[in-house]
Amino acid sequence: MARKGILSSNIPTGTRSKPAARPPAPSRGTVGALQSSLSKLQENAVQEISADLIEDAGVEDRLGFSGEAHKQLKDSLETYGQQVPVLLRPHSTKNGHYEIVYGRRRLKALKDLGLPVKAMVRQLDDHALIMAQGQENTARQDLSFIEKASFAAQLQDMKYDRQTIAAALSIDLPMVSRMLKIGTAFTLPFLRNIGSAPGIGRDRWATLAKAMEADGASNRVDAFMRTPDFATLSSNDRFEAALKRAAAPKPAKALTKPRTLRTADGKALADIKQTTRGVTLNIPSRTADGFDTWFNANADAVLQDLHDQWTKSTDAE
């Protein structure tokens, strides 16, 4: 008979009850899989990050920002908000900061507006960053030929091999060679001045590259780039202006037929011609008998006398 205060039990005398079984501990493989899944979820999650915490990285894939296009992008973001996130990676040395992988135009516009940036954050090494940036560029239809060629040239300067460049831009090796031929023909500052030139293809850029090899071409183009007129042109027109000034100057068209000036006895004295650039007088030494040397020594007085005669004639009119 059971003692008072103690419930009876069907458990045989001398037998103790076993504690409830614990669930088996997850294996290391299971923990790794969970962590990997959480990391992927975090990478695909869109976060809002201050634009001031985002710095540049990778390769320069945009040759300047069109003022009008930038304004349109800002107006769109202000009206409709940011619909497509940018891609970032954690900064390698600054805790809490990030580096841009792609989405530079959106980042600049959002920063100007003082708005946070919607972004996905992924752990990417330099090689993975280049591949991600290149693949994003390939998917965009508005990237011009010279921007892609410049992108390829910058990768080559960073010691990436041609196979990597081809993979980054989703092009074959022959096309890599053609792009590098153009991309390496110009400095990055020069291309920034021209801009993306969306209407200019490979053949026209090849023509400019050849024209820039002429004597004085670089100086002529650089001089024009420093003028106020250059800044007012569209990117396509900047290219055309650079090509026009790089080309070797054509000989001036004569306004009159060249003629020979002669002495009273008919002896050839000098050749004279007038072009759109002015009047040219040539006294051949082989027939001048020293007159060329005398004329050179007395040119100031001779021309002054002629100028005085011209002034009197115009005053008389």
Side-chain angles (χ1 to χ4, degrees):
M1 185 174 180
R3 294 169 60 186
K4 187 176 180 180
I6 300 178
L7 297 176
S8 60
S9 172
N10 295 323
I11 300 174
T13 303
T15 304
R16 294 182 178 179
S17 61
K18 296 181 179 180
R22 294 180 179 178
S27 65
R28 290 186 178 180
T30 303
V31 172
L34 287 171
Q35 290 176 338
S36 177
S37 297
L38 289 173
S39 296
K40 288 180 179 179
L41 285 172
Q42 191 175 32
E43 286 182 351
N44 291 325
V46 176
Q47 308 175 41
E48 284 196 347
I49 297 172
S50 170
D52 294 332
L53 298 177
I54 304 172
E55 300 180 15
D56 203 6
V59 176
E60 186 173 341
D61 57 356
R62 285 288 186 182
L63 297 173
F65 295 99
S66 162
E68 182 60 28
H70 181 61
K71 181 181 181 302
Q72 290 176 357
L73 180 57
K74 283 175 59 178
D75 290 345
S76 174
L77 290 169
E78 194 169 26
T79 303
Y80 303 106
Q82 182 187 351
Q83 303 299 315
V84 180
V86 305
L87 180 62
L88 310 175
R89 72 172 180 178
H91 198 286
S92 57
T93 59
K94 297 181 181 179
N95 188 33
H97 287 243
Y98 303 87
E99 294 178 324
I100 186 77
V101 178
Y102 58 71
R104 285 168 172 75
R105 287 198 304 171
R106 278 164 283 167
L107 172 61
K108 178 175 173 57
L110 290 164
K111 190 168 187 177
D112 288 350
L113 292 169
L115 297 175
V117 180
K118 292 180 180 179
M120 294 183 295
V121 180
R122 293 181 182 168
Q123 297 286 344
L124 300 173
D125 59 21
D126 289 343
H127 185 273
L129 182 150
I130 291 299
M131 296 301 293
Q133 188 180 3
Q135 293 298 327
E136 170 68 8
N137 288 342
T138 301
R140 296 207 311 258
Q141 298 299 314
D142 62 337
L143 209 65
S144 68
F145 167 80
I146 195 60
E147 285 177 318
K148 292 178 181 178
S150 174
F151 187 86
Q154 291 177 71
L155 291 185
Q156 179 171 265
D157 287 343
M158 295 168 69
K159 307 305 180 185
Y160 285 99
D161 58 34
R162 295 198 173 191
Q163 193 65 54
T164 300
I165 298 172
L169 289 171
S170 296
I171 57 178
D172 57 24
L173 289 176
M175 180 55 74
V176 170
S177 297
R178 289 192 285 270
M179 282 193 169
L180 287 175
K181 186 175 181 180
I182 302 300
T184 56
F186 306 96
T187 66
L188 197 52
F190 178 89
L191 293 179
R192 289 194 194 107
N193 282 333
I194 296 293
S196 62
I200 309 300
R202 181 171 65 90
D203 291 344
R204 297 279 286 157
W205 277 103
T207 300
L208 178 59
K210 183 66 177 177
M212 290 292 288
E213 296 174 0
D215 291 339
S218 180
N219 291 336
R220 290 193 296 272
V221 174
D222 288 345
F224 180 65
M225 284 182 169
R226 291 192 292 270
T227 64
D229 290 343
F230 181 79
T232 65
L233 300 175
S234 69
S235 183
N236 287 337
D237 289 340
R238 289 179 184 181
F239 173 90
E240 296 294 350
L243 179 58
K244 179 180 180 181
R245 284 157 179 78
K250 295 181 179 179
K253 185 178 180 180
L255 297 179
T256 60
K257 290 183 178 181
R259 70 185 191 280
T260 301
L261 303 178
R262 298 180 181 278
T263 61
D265 59 2
K267 182 180 179 182
L269 188 62
D271 297 320
I272 188 170
K273 66 178 180 178
Q274 183 178 9
T275 70
T276 54
R277 296 180 184 175
V279 174
T280 303
L281 180 70
N282 180 46
I283 303 175
S285 297
R286 66 180 184 279
T287 59
D289 295 332
F291 175 64
D292 56 330
T293 303
W294 179 91
F295 184 89
N296 183 55
N298 296 276
D300 291 345
V302 171
L303 288 176
Q304 184 62 56
D305 183 53
L306 290 172
H307 188 267
D308 290 344
Q309 293 182 41
W310 172 77
T311 302
K312 291 178 182 179
S313 66
T314 54
D315 289 344
E317 295 176 357

